[in-house]
Amino acid sequence: MSTLKEQLRADLTTAMKARDELVRTTLRSVLTSIGNAEVAGDTARELSDDEVRAVITKETKRRAESAQAFADGGRPESADRERAEGEVLARYLPTQLDDDEVAALATAAVAEVEAETGEKPGMRQMGQVMKKANAAAEGRAEGGRVAAAVKKALAAG
């Protein structure tokens, strides 16, 4: 079993003992999503820590989108609840990179592709640059932010 999944289960037990309803329901929900991911496909399997982190990231993003929808729909109490659940899940994710760090990753990825190909990459090579930038980000930055930084770096070159 992945250590991250074990941590989630241990924290769920702690939340149950402490009667922390927010943490309890949030962790139950994410553990259910992890369980569903494990049995999806042809055969059931145990998820690695990286795969568990991907599920948590997806759940965090879903909660942020729900919070925005609730806020737009005039339901601030539901939006606050979704944001609070997102904050609980964020504890299990690596610290997110700031905009300057994402821009530096994009610039480094452009330089790396330039070194490999021998020419300055353009928008046609964005896929190559994105692959390198996303690998360097290691899940610490949302894909849209990385893509925007890569586009800006390619346009500047």
Side-chain angles (χ1 to χ4, degrees), residues 95-111 129-130 132-154:
T95 306
Q96 295 294 299
L97 299 174
D98 65 25
D99 291 339
D100 292 336
E101 292 170 319
V102 173
L105 283 176
T107 304
V110 168
V129 177
M130 280 295 297
K132 302 222 181 271
N134 279 329
E138 298 173 333
R140 297 175 294 153
E142 193 176 283
R145 289 179 57 216
V146 175
V150 166
K151 282 182 186 176
K152 189 173 178 180
L154 289 173

Side-chain angles (χ1 to χ4, degrees), residues 11-25:
D11 290 351
L12 174 60
T13 302
T14 303
M16 290 168 76
K17 289 179 181 175
R19 300 194 188 294
D20 188 339
E21 189 265 340
L22 172 71
V23 174
R24 186 186 74 225
T25 56

